[in-house]
Amino acid sequence: LAARLNVSRQPVVQALALLKVQGFVRESGRRGVVVAPLDADFIAHLYELRSALDGAACRGAARRGSAEAKLWGPALIAEGRAAFASGSVKRMVDADMRFHRLLYDLCGNPMIAETAALHWHHIRRLIGGYLQHYPMRDVWDEHQAILDAVMAGDADRAETAARHHADNASAKFTALVGAARGADTAGKAAGKRRKRS
């Protein structure tokens, strides 16, 4: 990596150490480090936390930021739908992140946003990986439902819609990872049978 990036080894070692602490890479014996695989338990735990944080953020946004949501939210929904129509995973992920950041900005509690920020890199990775295979048309319908509740100042409905959105994503991501793991296990078993025969 150092040679490819034309830098000394020290910044590469520091970057890999940081990525390891953040859970993006893991030790792989003599091979060094590898990208950490997505694990269904990790995804479920991450989205359980996200459900709670998003719910609290949207409840606060409905109570404190409904006027700003009316000002900025519809444009973000339109941007997200356009990103989906473009088929660009990067545009879809960026639009998704902007929408959720607006809600965190409007909630009135900076500690919710700070806590969520610790995990957004993992969430971004999950969203990007999922969208490469399964573009989610219903995401922007769910975002619209959240925004409608926030703009109406309906804290209970905003929290419920946000939690539904996170729980729905969790179910889809864990199912995808479970299916991929099952296919990988079946492929390895078939390979072993072929070697024996």
Side-chain angles (χ1 to χ4, degrees):
L1 283 174
R4 189 182 308 164
L5 297 171
N6 197 24
V7 296
S8 69
R9 292 175 52 87
Q10 187 61 29
V12 173
V13 169
Q14 288 175 339
L16 290 173
L18 179 60
L19 289 171
K20 189 163 49 168
V21 167
Q22 293 174 338
F24 289 105
V25 298
R26 64 175 173 78
E27 293 288 338
S28 182
R30 290 183 176 168
R31 291 177 37 207
V33 295
V34 296
V35 174
L38 294 174
D39 174 82
D41 287 338
F42 174 77
I43 293 169
H45 295 155
L46 181 64
Y47 270 86
E48 183 178 0
L49 175 64
R50 182 179 173 188
S51 179
L53 291 173
D54 281 9
C58 290
R59 173 173 284 280
R63 287 179 174 163
R64 302 178 188 98
S66 59
E68 292 90 345
K70 290 175 185 173
L71 182 63
W72 302 106
L76 289 177
I77 295 289
E79 179 186 327
R81 292 191 190 280
F84 177 83
S86 77
S88 165
V89 171
K90 181 181 181 335
R91 281 185 63 191
M92 286 187 266
V93 172
D94 288 346
D96 189 274
M97 302 294 280
R98 278 192 289 281
F99 176 78
H100 286 283
R101 283 196 185 111
L102 172 68
L103 298 170
Y104 282 101
D105 289 345
L106 298 181
C107 81
N109 184 341
M111 293 187 73
I112 294 174
E114 289 168 15
T115 304
L118 298 172
H119 308 287
W120 270 106
H121 294 297
H122 290 289
I123 291 170
R124 185 180 184 98
R125 178 184 176 206
L126 291 173
I127 292 170
Y130 189 88
L131 289 174
Q132 287 177 349
H133 303 288
Y134 304 99
M136 296 183 290
R137 180 180 301 278
D138 61 337
V139 164
W140 288 97
D141 294 335
E142 292 176 3
H143 286 171
Q144 184 70 63
I146 294 167
L147 181 64
D148 289 346
V150 169
M151 290 190 305
D154 188 334
D156 290 339
R157 188 163 51 104
E159 180 176 1
T160 299
R163 284 179 167 273
H164 168 76
H165 177 59
D167 295 343
N168 192 26
S170 177
K172 288 179 179 178
F173 293 155
T174 53
L176 176 65
V177 169
R181 178 161 293 160
D184 185 48
T185 302
K188 287 179 182 176
K192 287 179 182 177
R193 284 195 299 273
R194 280 194 299 272
K195 285 181 183 176
R196 277 185 249 150
S197 40

